[in-house]
Amino acid sequence: MSLKNLSFAAVVIASLLPVSALATNGYFSHGFGVRAQAVAGTAFALPQDALAAASNPAGTAWVNSRVDAGMTYFRPQRESRISGSANPAVNGRYDANRDSAFWIPELGVVQALSEQLAWGVAIYGNGGMNTRYKDNPFAAFGGQGDAGVDMRQAFFTPSIAFRPLPQHSFGVALTFAYQEFAARGIQGFAGFSSNGTAVSNNSHDSATGWGIKLGWLGQLHERVRLGVSWSSRIRMDAFDDYAGLFAGYGDFDVPENYGIGISVLAADSLTVAADWQRIEYSEIASVGNPVNSLFAGQPLGTANGPGFGWQDIDVIKLGLVYQPHAAWTLRAGISHADQPIPRDQTFFNILAPGVIEDHASIGFSWNSGRNGEWSVSYTHAFEETVEGKSSIPVAFGGGEADLTMSQDIFAVSWSKGL
């Protein structure tokens, strides 16, 4: 692939990414690359394609020169339920699926420069959140029209990996992050804003920022690999149009995350891999600060204002890769994440019910020869409900807000060696 064609493809993919939105492990994607999705995102010590740097930049040195282009169809089902409110009109079930289908493209390219050095570029959707309620659950609190949020997050990650010894590689990557956000139907919260800025707006505001990824991948035994990866906090520009909503006058940084993984060649055709990942949502004020402070005199949008109350989470992933024939590879995986949303924080999270904990994935690849290789994956995120406990303040009528979500994720990609 020529540099001109690569640049054109990158522009096309980058222009498409903002139309996507997802929420799996919190609001991070469960996996980057169709092959990684098929093993529930297991990737720190299991690089499988040119999207490897999205998880561990050291993996760029282990996948040979190649191009991978894919598309994911993401279908979340989300709803909320309010009960026990002093205002009977509020009680009921609310369907947030007015928008229910999203397309998420991806592109990865790796080029080996020598036996010791390789570079790559990965373009992908890192995460997001979308809700659009048919009936506004905040109507009794001053909300008007449709209610919901649309947060979209795309990453562009160029990487370089150095392999000083055949058994070890070190990788570094820069990440350019692009975010868009819009909120609807929560005009009633404007009275709690620090500067009178509207907290609800039908238009999208955008923000950009840069971060860094570091990684190592080592062959500790002829059948065992270990991988470690760290991604820095990405300090984003502020969402100026929502400076009265997000803590820090519109700040919405991408949280630091890191992890370790192992892969074992258990048999000549079977690889077993596992990852542990940590995502530090609580370090981002607009995400981690509890909403309770809103009713203790701390207005929305201030330097340490209220947020969504999310907790840090640990994610455990397990994947299997089985190659029964040279042309066919089969994959499966499961993962479990901690619950990011505490039971007393569900009211504000009606807008962002990222409550998924468990995934199961399957997939396969078929090598067609000179025409490249096709990969397919399917992931089901099992339905999860968080029942509110002391979740709706008395100032809003009291009662409880319950959140429910499930997801289906289909993906297909085409790969070819360069």
Side-chain angles (χ1 to χ4, degrees):
M1 176 178 283
S2 70
L3 182 60
K4 180 179 179 180
N5 289 339
L6 172 59
S7 299
F8 174 75
V11 169
V12 171
I13 295 291
S15 68
L16 290 172
L17 277 170
V19 306
S20 62
L22 65 155
T24 51
N25 292 324
Y27 68 80
F28 274 31
S29 175
H30 75 296
F32 306 111
V34 173
R35 298 179 184 201
Q37 288 190 44
V39 289
T42 312
F44 290 136
L46 188 66
Q48 299 186 81
D49 57 29
L51 275 297
S55 300
N56 184 351
T60 298
W62 295 75
V63 297
N64 298 321
S65 297
R66 60 185 296 128
V67 59
D68 294 86
M71 181 70 74
T72 296
Y73 170 76
F74 178 74
R75 185 174 183 271
Q77 295 293 300
R78 52 266 198 249
E79 69 173 35
S80 63
R81 185 176 67 252
I82 297 177
S83 61
S85 173
N87 183 349
V90 176
N91 295 323
R93 190 179 298 271
Y94 295 88
D95 185 335
N97 300 304
R98 195 164 185 175
D99 295 328
S100 60
F102 305 92
W103 296 92
I104 307 162
E106 64 186 21
L107 174 69
V109 177
V110 166
Q111 182 69 60
L113 302 177
S114 68
E115 292 183 358
Q116 290 79 36
L117 195 64
W119 68 270
V121 176
I123 308 171
Y124 52 98
N126 180 67
M129 178 66 68
N130 177 280
T131 51
R132 190 177 179 191
Y133 283 93
K134 298 177 181 179
D135 298 307
N136 191 334
F138 298 108
F141 312 128
Q144 302 171 19
D146 291 344
V149 296
D150 189 19
M151 198 276 280
R152 313 165 179 179
Q153 192 177 82
F155 279 11
F156 180 92
T157 301
S159 63
I160 189 164
F162 177 55
R163 202 167 180 171
L165 297 172
Q167 298 85 5
H168 298 274
S169 68
F170 300 88
V172 60
L174 292 175
T175 294
F176 172 75
Y178 175 85
Q179 295 185 144
E180 288 188 350
F181 178 83
R184 301 176 296 271
I186 55 172
Q187 295 89 342
F189 288 98
F192 295 92
S193 178
S194 60
N195 56 9
T197 302
V199 299
S200 186
N201 189 322
N202 286 325
S203 64
H204 285 86
D205 195 8
S206 62
T208 59
W210 289 90
I212 188 170
K213 292 177 179 284
L214 301 175
W216 165 77
L217 182 57
Q219 188 93 38
L220 302 185
H221 181 273
E222 63 180 6
R223 290 180 175 268
V224 180
R225 292 179 184 173
L226 192 68
V228 177
S229 184
W230 169 79
S231 296
S232 72
R233 175 173 176 163
I234 301 178
R235 298 190 180 275
M236 306 294 295
D237 299 333
F239 288 123
D240 293 332
D241 290 348
Y242 295 96
L245 175 62
F246 289 133
Y249 310 105
D251 281 350
F252 203 98
D253 291 347
V254 179
E256 177 184 3
N257 59 99
Y258 46 87
I260 185 170
I262 187 172
S263 66
V264 179
L265 186 63
D268 290 343
S269 56
L270 176 65
T271 298
V272 181
D275 282 358
W276 166 79
Q277 182 185 24
R278 177 80 167 175
I279 306 174
E280 298 196 337
Y281 288 120
S282 71
E283 298 300 313
I284 309 303
S286 52
V287 179
N289 285 0
V291 72
N292 311 61
S293 59
L294 178 65
F295 308 101
Q298 186 73 44
L300 290 165
T302 53
N304 197 35
F308 288 91
W310 282 31
Q311 304 173 121
D312 299 341
I313 65 170
D314 294 320
V315 187
I316 301 296
K317 309 176 184 183
L318 176 67
L320 303 175
V321 181
Y322 176 60
Q323 189 171 22
H325 185 273
W328 290 91
T329 304
L330 309 180
R331 300 179 178 88
I334 56 174
S335 72
H336 174 76
D338 295 334
Q339 179 55 243
I341 301 176
R343 293 178 64 188
D344 63 351
Q345 298 296 307
T346 56
F347 179 55
F348 210 36
N349 279 287
I350 288 173
L351 295 169
V355 298
I356 293 297
E357 295 183 7
D358 299 305
H359 297 83
S361 304
I362 57 173
F364 67 87
S365 293
W366 170 59
N367 192 332
S368 65
R370 288 187 298 175
N371 294 323
E373 188 169 8
W374 291 91
S375 297
V376 175
S377 73
Y378 165 69
T379 299
H380 180 68
F382 294 93
E383 182 177 292
E384 187 70 33
T385 296
V386 173
E387 297 181 350
K389 183 177 181 180
S390 303
S391 58
I392 302 180
V394 175
F396 283 90
E400 304 296 354
D402 302 338
L403 311 175
T404 298
M405 179 181 275
S406 65
Q407 301 164 0
D408 291 291
I409 308 168
F410 299 88
V412 60
S413 69
W414 171 83
S415 309
K416 190 172 179 59
L418 297 178

